[in-house]
C-alpha cells in the first residue's frame, strides 16, 4: 500500500493511474488483468485496461450502465463484488455470462471507486484461474480501491484541464497553411509529452503584397494557460503589424513594446522573416530565436551564422535586419528550442542534428517535386514527419512543446515581371497606359487592359501631383495581376470623402472600386502603392463581380 500510495501521488493523468495500479496491485495478488472505467452519463467509459484482448476492450467501452450488470450493482450499492469462478458468475449474473466467458478470465474482484462522496467508476481485477478471496484480501482490496478512487478523481480533473488548455492552444494556431505562389509550407506542433501544462509555441505564414510572404515562429517563455493566451495575443498583434507591411526589424520593435506592457516577467523569442520572390531575398530579424536552415536543391544544407538579438521583453531596439540571398529554389526549416533540445539538451547540438537530418532526408525524399500544390504539400508533410521521428524519437518523454515549420520558396519567373521608369511629368500617366497595353497584350490579358490602364493612370497621376520622383511602374503576373507604382515620397495615401463640387479627390476611390485589394508599403527610399486584380477564367470570362470588361470599367469609372 505504501508503494501504491507513492506511485499514485506522482500520477498526473488517468493513464498514469492505470499504470500505477497495474504495477503495484497485480503482481502481489497474482492477478493478470485490470480494467478501470468511469461513469459518463448513462454509460461506462473505459479509462484503461491491462491483460485483456483488444477486441474485448472495444466490446466493453461505452456500454450502457444496465441495472442488471455487475458494474451497476457495485456502483449502486458501493459494495465490492468478489466472484471466484465462472460458475459463480453465471449463477449471480446470468445476463452477463457471455461477457465472462469472452474475457477468458476465471475470477474477478469488482471494486467501486469513490471520489468526493460519489461512485465515479469501477476497478476490475481479474485472474486466469478460479480462486477464493480471504477476508484479509477483501479488506486490502477495498482499501486499495479507496486510494485509486481519490487518485483517479484528481487525474480526471487534470485530464480535463489539460485537454482544454491544449484545445485552446490549437485553436490559437493556424488551422491550415495557405498555398501561395511563392511559398508552400507544412508545419507540426507537438505539445509536451509529459508535464502538467501547455506551452506558448506558435507559427504562422502570412501573405503580403506583391506575392511576398511573411514566415514567423515564436515561443513564449514558460508553460501554462497564461502563456498560451499570451501567445494568442502576440500572434494576433503580429498579424496586424504584418498587414502594415513593416520591415522585420521595425515589426519586432513594435512587438517588443507589446511584450513590455504584459509585465516584467513576460518574455518571448520570435523570428520574423519576409520572402520576396522577385529578388529571392529573405529579410529577417531574430529576437532570441535560432536562425532557419536553408536546404538547396543539390541536397546541401546551409546554416546561416546570424547573431540574434535578445528575446522580446528583454531587448532594447533597434533590432538587427539580416538579409539572405536564396537560391533559385530552396527549403527553409524553422523550429523552436523544444525540438532542438529534445534529444541532446543543447541548442547548438540540436541545430547540427537538424542540419544532418535534413541532408539525409533530402537524399530520400523528393524535396523539390514538380506538380500541383497538393503534391508539394504532401512531400513537405513527409519531410516534417522524418525530421520529427529523428529529433523526437520518444515524444512521450519530452517536457517542452516543439514546433517545426518547413517552407519551399519559389521565385517569380523573369517573364512574369515588367518594370518601367517614368518621368515626373504629366505625360508619365500616358506612358504608363502605353506600357500596360503592350505588356498585357504580350501576356494575353486583354480583358484587363482597360482596368489596369485606369489603375496605373490614377496611381501615377497621384505621384505626379502629390509626391516626388523617381517614378517606377512594375507589373507582376501571378495568381493575380499586380500593378505597382513606386515614388520617392513617404507621404501616406488615403481615401478622402469628396463632395459633388470637388474637382478631384476620387482617384483612390476609383482604385478601390476596380481592384480586389490595394495598399501601400514603405521602403528605405520611398514607398510603393499597389493594386491587385483577379485574372480572367481560362475560358476568357471575367471573375464574377469584378468590372473587367471595357463597358463595366467605364460604368465603374463613371459611377465613381
Amino acid at each position: 500500500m505504501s508503494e501504491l500510495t507513492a506511485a499514485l501521488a506522482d500520477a498526473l493523468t488517468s493513464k498514469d493511474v492505470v499504470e500505477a495500479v497495474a504495477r503495484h496491485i497485480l503482481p502481489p495478488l497474482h492477478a493478470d488483468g485490470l480494467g478501470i472505467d468511469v461513469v459518463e452519463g448513462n454509460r461506462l467509459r473505459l479509462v484503461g485496461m491491462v491483460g485483456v484482448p483488444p477486441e474485448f476492450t472495444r466490446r466493453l467501452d461505452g456500454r450502457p450502465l444496465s441495472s442488471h450488470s455487475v458494474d451497476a450493482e457495485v456502483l449502486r450499492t458501493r459494495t465490492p463484488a468478489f466472484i471466484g469462478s465462472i460458475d459463480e458468475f453465471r449463477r449471480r449474473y446470468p445476463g452477463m455470462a457471455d461477457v465472462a466467458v469472452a474475457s477468458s478470465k476465471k475470477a474477478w474482484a469488482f471494486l467501486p471507486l469513490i471520489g468526493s462522496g460519489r461512485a465515479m467508476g469501477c476497478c476490475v481485477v481479474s485472474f486466469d484461474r478460479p480462486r477464493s478471496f480471504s477476508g484479509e484480501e477483501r479488506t486490502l482490496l477495498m482499501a486499495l480501491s479507496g486510494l485509486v478512487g481519490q487518485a483517479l478523481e484528481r487525474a480526471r480533473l487534470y485530464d480535463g484541464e489539460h485537454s482544454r488548455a491544449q484545445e485552446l492552444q490549437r485553436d490559437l494556431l493556424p488551422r491550415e497553411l495557405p498555398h501561395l505562389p511563392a511559398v508552400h509550407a507544412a508545419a507540426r506542433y507537438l505539445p509536451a509529452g509529459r508535464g502538467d501544462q501547455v506551452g506558448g509555441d506558435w507559427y504562422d505564414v502570412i501573405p503580403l503584397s506583391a506575392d511576398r510572404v511573411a514566415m514567423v515562429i515564436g515561443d513564449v517563455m514558460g508553460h501554462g494557460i497564461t502563456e498560451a493566451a499570451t501567445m494568442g495575443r502576440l500572434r494576433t498583434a503580429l498579424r496586424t503589424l504584418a498587414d502594415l507591411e513593416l520591415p522585420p526589424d521595425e515589426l519586432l520593435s513594435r512587438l517588443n513594446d507589446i511584450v513590455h506592457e504584459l509585465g516584467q516577467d513576460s518574455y518571448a523569442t520570435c523570428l520574423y522573416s519576409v520572402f520576396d520572390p522577385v529578388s529571392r531575398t529573405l529579410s529577417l530579424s531574430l529576437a532570441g530565436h535560432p536562425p532557419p536552415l536553408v536546404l538547396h536543391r543539390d541536397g546541401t544544407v546551409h546554416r546561416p551564422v546570424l547573431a540574434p538579438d535578445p528575446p522580446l521583453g528583454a531587448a532594447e531596439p533597434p533590432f538587427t535586419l539580416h538579409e539572405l540571398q536564396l537560391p533559385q529554389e530552396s527549403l527553409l526549416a524553422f523550429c523552436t528550442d523544444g525540438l532542438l533540445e529534445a534529444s541532446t539538451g543543447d541548442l547548438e547540438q540540436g541545430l547540427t542534428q537538424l542540419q544532418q537530418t535534413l541532408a539525409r532526408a533530402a537524399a530520400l525524399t523528393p524535396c523539390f517535386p514538380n506538380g500541383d500544390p497538393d503534391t508539394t504539400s504532401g512531400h513537405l508533410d513527409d519531410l516534417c514527419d522524418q525530421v520529427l521521428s529523428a529529433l523526437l524519437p520518444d515524444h512521450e518523454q519530452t517536457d517542452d512543446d516543439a514546433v517545426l515549420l518547413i517552407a519551399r520558396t519559389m521565385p517569380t519567373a523573369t517573364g512574369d515581371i515588367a518594370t518601367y521608369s517614368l518621368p515626373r511629368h504629366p505625360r508619365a500617366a500616358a506612358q504608363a497606359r502605353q506600357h500596360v497595353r503592350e505588356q498585357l497584350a504580350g501576356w494575353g490579358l486583354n480583358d484587363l487592359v482597360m482596368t489596369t490602364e485606369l489603375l496605373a493612370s490614377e496611381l501615377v497621376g497621384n505621384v505626379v501631383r502629390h509626391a516626388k520622383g523617381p517614378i517606377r511602374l512594375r507589373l507582376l503576373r501571378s495568381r493575380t495581376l499586380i500593378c505597382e507604382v513606386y515614388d520617392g515620397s513617404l507621404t501616406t495615401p488615403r481615401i478622402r470623402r469628396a463632395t459633388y463640387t470637388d474637382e478631384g479627390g476620387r482617384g483612390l476611390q476609383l482604385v478601390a472600386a476596380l481592384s480586389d485589394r490595394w495598399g501601400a508599403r514603405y521602403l528605405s527610399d520611398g514607398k510603393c502603392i499597389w493594386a491587385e486584380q483577379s485574372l480572367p477564367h481560362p475560358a476568357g470570362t471575367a471573375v464574377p463581380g469584378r468590372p473587367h470588361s471595357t463597358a463595366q470599367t467605364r460604368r465603374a469609372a463613371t459611377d465613381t
Side-chain angles (χ1 to χ4, degrees), residues 171-504:
D171 289 342
L172 293 174
L173 293 172
R175 293 187 178 275
E176 61 181 15
L177 296 177
H179 293 305
L180 304 172
V183 167
H184 291 162
R188 293 290 186 273
Y189 163 73
L190 292 178
R194 62 183 183 185
D196 59 345
Q197 293 178 321
V198 296
D201 292 18
W202 91 92
Y203 62 92
D204 214 341
V205 175
I206 307 170
L208 304 176
S209 61
D211 279 352
R212 295 155 55 251
V213 181
M215 292 165 283
V216 58
I217 189 168
D219 182 5
V220 176
M221 295 184 183
H223 294 84
I225 293 182
T226 301
E227 283 71 20
T230 299
M231 175 269 287
R233 296 172 65 180
L234 293 182
R235 178 172 175 254
T236 301
L238 188 142
R239 289 191 70 95
T240 302
L241 294 172
D243 287 341
L244 299 177
E245 303 275 5
L246 298 175
D249 54 339
E250 186 176 346
L251 184 144
L252 287 189
S253 295
R254 303 278 187 92
L255 203 61
N256 186 63
D257 294 338
I258 296 175
V259 176
H260 273 300
E261 294 175 357
L262 297 177
Q264 296 181 350
D265 296 331
S266 296
Y267 302 99
T269 65
C270 185
L271 184 161
Y272 182 79
S273 62
V274 176
F275 173 64
D276 187 339
V278 175
S279 62
R280 302 204 316 268
T281 301
L282 184 72
S283 304
L284 69 157
S285 291
L286 311 168
H289 208 88
L293 299 183
V294 183
L295 174 63
H296 294 234
R297 196 177 184 91
D298 61 3
T300 59
V301 180
H302 176 57
R303 178 178 166 186
V305 180
L306 306 176
D309 290 293
L312 301 174
E316 291 294 334
F319 288 86
T320 304
L321 179 64
H322 306 278
E323 288 194 352
L324 300 177
Q325 190 66 37
L326 299 182
Q328 189 68 18
E329 284 186 289
S330 62
L331 286 184
L332 301 174
F334 307 84
C335 63
T336 57
D337 59 357
L339 178 65
L340 298 176
E341 298 176 350
S343 59
T344 64
D346 182 79
L347 190 66
E348 287 298 318
Q349 294 182 17
L351 280 170
T352 301
Q353 186 178 4
L354 176 59
Q355 187 175 2
Q356 295 171 349
T357 301
L358 284 174
R360 288 194 299 268
L364 302 174
T365 304
C367 298
F368 301 92
N370 296 320
D372 56 49
D374 291 336
T375 302
T376 301
S377 298
H379 287 287
L380 294 180
D381 285 331
D382 293 341
L383 186 59
C384 284
D385 294 337
Q386 292 182 43
V387 171
L388 290 180
S389 63
L391 272 67
L392 287 176
D394 190 3
H395 170 247
E396 294 298 325
Q397 297 302 313
T398 61
D399 54 8
D400 195 6
D401 294 14
V403 165
L404 173 66
L405 173 65
I406 297 181
R408 177 189 177 187
T409 62
M410 292 163 290
T412 303
T414 305
D416 292 331
I417 308 169
T419 305
Y420 308 95
S421 297
L422 301 173
R424 191 176 181 276
H425 188 275
R427 67 174 180 272
Q431 292 183 11
R433 290 193 296 271
Q434 179 65 29
H435 293 316
V436 166
R437 286 193 297 271
E438 294 175 354
Q439 186 59 57
L440 265 59
W443 283 341
L445 299 176
N446 295 313
D447 288 347
L448 299 184
V449 168
M450 179 65 74
T451 52
T452 311
E453 278 187 313
L454 282 171
L455 290 171
S457 184
E458 288 296 333
L459 296 178
V460 172
N462 282 341
V463 171
V464 172
R465 286 191 295 271
H466 306 296
K468 62 181 182 180
I471 306 174
R472 183 161 53 95
L473 170 69
R474 188 170 77 168
L475 300 173
L476 299 176
R477 180 180 61 173
S478 180
R479 293 183 183 177
T480 60
L481 178 64
I482 305 168
C483 178
E484 299 178 324
V485 174
Y486 294 78
D487 64 64
S489 172
L490 295 176
T491 305
T492 303
R494 61 185 180 88
I495 296 180
R496 68 182 182 87
R497 185 178 297 278
T499 65
Y500 288 107
T501 58
D502 289 343
E503 296 183 359

Side-chain angles (χ1 to χ4, degrees), residues 32-88:
D32 68 339
L34 172 70
I36 295 179
D37 46 27
V38 295
V39 178
E40 290 185 1
N42 195 35
R43 291 184 177 274
L44 284 171
R45 295 292 180 185
L46 202 59
V47 174
M49 266 196 151
V50 176
V52 179
E55 58 273 10
F56 186 72
T57 300
R58 291 190 293 268
R59 179 178 178 179
L60 292 182
D61 191 22
R63 65 193 184 280
L65 191 57
S66 170
S67 59
H68 302 292
S69 68
V70 58
D71 309 81
E73 180 179 320
V74 167
L75 290 171
R76 184 176 63 255
T77 63
R78 300 189 182 185
T79 303
F82 299 96
I83 304 174
S85 66
I86 291 182
D87 291 339
E88 182 181 355

